[in-house]
Amino acid sequence: MANLTATRPLQPWTAPTATDPVGSTLRLPGSKSLTARALVLSAVSDGTSTLSHPLRARDTELMAGGLRAMGVHASIVDDDRWLIRPRPLQGPAHVDVGLSGTVMRFVPPLAGLAEGPVTFDGDPYARIRPLGPLVGALRSIGLRIDAADGGRLPLTVHGAGQVAGGEVVIDASASSQFVSGLLLGAARFERGIVVRHEGPPVPSAPHLRMTVQMLRAAGAAVDDSTPNVWTVEPGRLSGRGWDIEPDLSGAVPFFAAALVTGGGLTLLGWPRSSLQPVDTLRTLLQQMGGEVTLGTDGLTVRGTGVIHGLDADLSDVSEFTPVLAALAVLADSPSRLRGVAHIRNHETDRLAALARELQTLGADVVESADGLEIRPRPLRGGLFETYADHRMAHAAAVIGLAVPGIELSDVACTSKTMPEFPALWSTMVAGGGRQ
């Protein structure tokens, strides 16, 4: 099991165990994926943009900080409304990517539009995350980039104030963010861009559809009618208001709590039409024994307290894997989660980390090349390493609902996408907001 770095703060966090079914209504922060894309598009548009109900978390603050370092005016003081005014991009500048895939893959293409060098680096594990295909693609359309071996961080983009653009061929099987990063700023390239993917299937297809839809909403001419080919024509984008939906990935552990405890949870403010893969989540939770409904008050999940095993390809929704694995170890039948080899390159090697930590609690887990096979058996409490990965922390918290004594080595890592997570979780389990 490679690329696993344990974190051991002085005081682990004990996940609360549920004594009653949860019955809560929650209003969660905005989507990380939508917030990140809206920030980048706002930075390359003409005129002011506003983000309503954005996500304030480490990843999105790093994104705003990176854009600000290159000269963009980004006012994020107001939690409910961020104001972005584009300005000519300038170097020298330094962008701290933290451990954020969106920052390290969405911002370098924009750095080519800056006048002067822009350097990128981040947390130690960020230097391991794959970036080479994106660096190679950017070099092929005229950017001069200095990078570590394999095209990894740290790297420097020597911006020339313009990017030629044109056609690129890329293997994006490790991350759909490679394609999204190339597309988001491409309307500002002299010839736009044509991105052709060659290789195994691109994971997380809903995120690519989100990128295309948001580009079109900003005024870009985008053609994605040919499989594995995306074209963005050169042109001007218009500043606009972005209304950010609640974060579906962040909601998954709370929905899982309804299944584990046989309760019900409603996520307030959910739109009738979503850019996120809510239909896929509905299907998965229903297969595991939940009931999912969308009403005037929001998106509601109810459980019976009995969880069924799941055999599913999660390649489109790999962010759900850790929490679904947590549900699987509590299920009444075996599960097979597959199609997610690429999550070995997320905040940690999630497959190796999940297998190790679930086995530590007594679970029967077999790690495969692209997933996990899980056979439920009685679990015990113990220390659950999070590896600085917010999704690992979510998984541990879900198991802790049913298994006393689950201690998270670092619950603070949830600040990556939801700083409020420990408080929201504890309030939910204690009965706050009970329906």
Side-chain angles (χ1 to χ4, degrees):
M1 296 182 183
N3 300 339
L4 298 183
T5 303
T7 57
R8 289 186 180 275
L10 295 177
Q11 185 63 48
W13 185 76
T14 302
T17 301
T19 56
D20 296 297
V22 300
S24 296
T25 57
L26 290 175
R27 188 175 296 277
L28 293 183
S31 161
K32 179 190 76 169
S33 298
L34 290 168
T35 301
R37 285 162 174 78
L39 284 169
V40 172
L41 289 170
S42 299
V44 294
S45 295
D46 291 340
T48 299
S49 294
T50 57
L51 280 64
S52 298
H53 313 296
L55 171 68
R56 178 181 293 280
R58 188 186 185 214
D59 277 16
T60 55
E61 289 183 334
L62 286 170
M63 179 70 81
L67 298 173
R68 190 183 293 117
M70 293 190 294
V72 176
H73 175 85
S75 175
I76 61 171
V77 176
D78 187 336
D79 285 343
D80 293 327
R81 188 173 182 270
W82 291 1
L83 184 70
I84 311 297
R85 291 192 180 97
R87 292 174 178 169
L89 302 180
Q90 298 289 334
H94 176 71
V95 177
D96 178 5
V97 310
L99 197 51
S100 171
T102 52
V103 179
M104 67 189 292
R105 294 162 183 157
F106 290 3
V107 182
L110 270 61
L113 298 167
E115 289 276 4
V118 181
T119 61
F120 294 81
D121 203 359
D123 296 356
Y125 190 77
R127 295 187 173 191
I128 300 174
R129 298 193 71 177
L131 196 57
L134 177 64
V135 170
L138 291 173
R139 285 171 172 163
S140 75
I141 57 172
L143 273 71
R144 185 162 68 92
I145 301 176
D146 300 328
D149 290 345
R152 300 180 187 271
L153 295 173
L155 63 81
T156 300
V157 178
H158 296 275
Q162 61 184 19
V163 177
E167 183 168 335
V168 300
V169 177
I170 186 171
D171 179 355
S173 57
S175 176
S176 66
Q177 291 175 350
F178 295 155
V179 177
S180 289
L182 290 167
L183 300 181
L184 285 167
R188 289 278 306 276
F189 299 171
E190 292 180 331
R191 291 184 287 154
I193 203 166
V194 178
V195 180
R196 297 182 184 276
H197 163 69
E198 293 184 358
V202 181
S204 304
H207 285 94
L208 277 175
R209 290 194 290 271
M210 177 189 295
T211 296
V212 169
Q213 288 174 283
M214 293 183 71
L215 273 162
R216 287 174 176 155
V222 186
D223 182 356
D224 63 344
S225 58
T226 301
N228 294 320
V229 180
W230 299 265
T231 301
V232 178
E233 299 292 339
R236 294 183 177 275
L237 304 184
S238 300
R240 51 159 291 161
W242 297 100
D243 192 6
I244 307 299
E245 302 172 10
D247 195 312
L248 186 63
S249 295
V252 172
F254 295 92
F255 290 153
L259 271 65
V260 173
T261 67
L265 188 134
T266 297
L267 175 58
L268 299 175
W270 192 259
R272 301 298 300 184
S273 178
S274 174
L275 292 174
Q276 301 175 83
V278 65
D279 290 336
T280 303
L281 178 62
R282 177 186 291 113
T283 298
L284 293 169
L285 293 182
Q286 288 174 341
Q287 290 174 359
M288 300 194 86
E291 175 187 314
V292 184
T293 56
L294 178 59
T296 56
D297 52 348
L299 189 64
T300 299
V301 176
R302 298 187 182 281
T304 63
V306 177
I307 302 166
H308 305 312
L310 178 70
D311 185 343
D313 183 332
L314 303 179
S315 56
D316 277 355
V317 288
S318 60
E319 289 288 312
F320 301 167
T321 303
V323 168
L324 294 179
L327 287 174
V329 299
L330 302 173
D332 61 1
S333 58
S335 293
R336 180 171 174 242
L337 310 179
R338 47 194 166 80
V340 288
H342 60 286
I343 71 173
R344 294 187 182 280
N345 295 310
H346 280 206
E347 281 78 352
T348 188
D349 179 340
R350 284 182 175 164
L351 292 180
L354 283 166
R356 175 185 289 182
E357 299 311 313
L358 296 176
Q359 289 165 357
T360 297
L361 303 181
D364 183 356
V365 181
V366 176
E367 178 186 347
S368 66
D370 75 335
L372 300 170
E373 295 181 11
I374 299 170
R375 285 171 288 277
R377 64 185 187 187
L379 302 178
R380 57 180 175 268
L383 182 68
F384 192 103
E385 292 287 356
T386 62
Y387 307 97
D389 187 338
H390 55 148
R391 305 298 182 201
M392 291 291 293
H394 295 164
V398 169
I399 296 171
L401 293 169
V403 181
I406 301 295
E407 294 186 320
L408 282 67
S409 65
D410 178 20
V411 74
C413 67
T414 57
S415 65
K416 175 179 172 66
T417 51
M418 192 185 298
E420 307 92 334
F421 178 80
L424 286 171
W425 192 261
S426 298
T427 299
M428 174 193 69
V429 177
R434 188 167 298 282
Q435 294 175 322

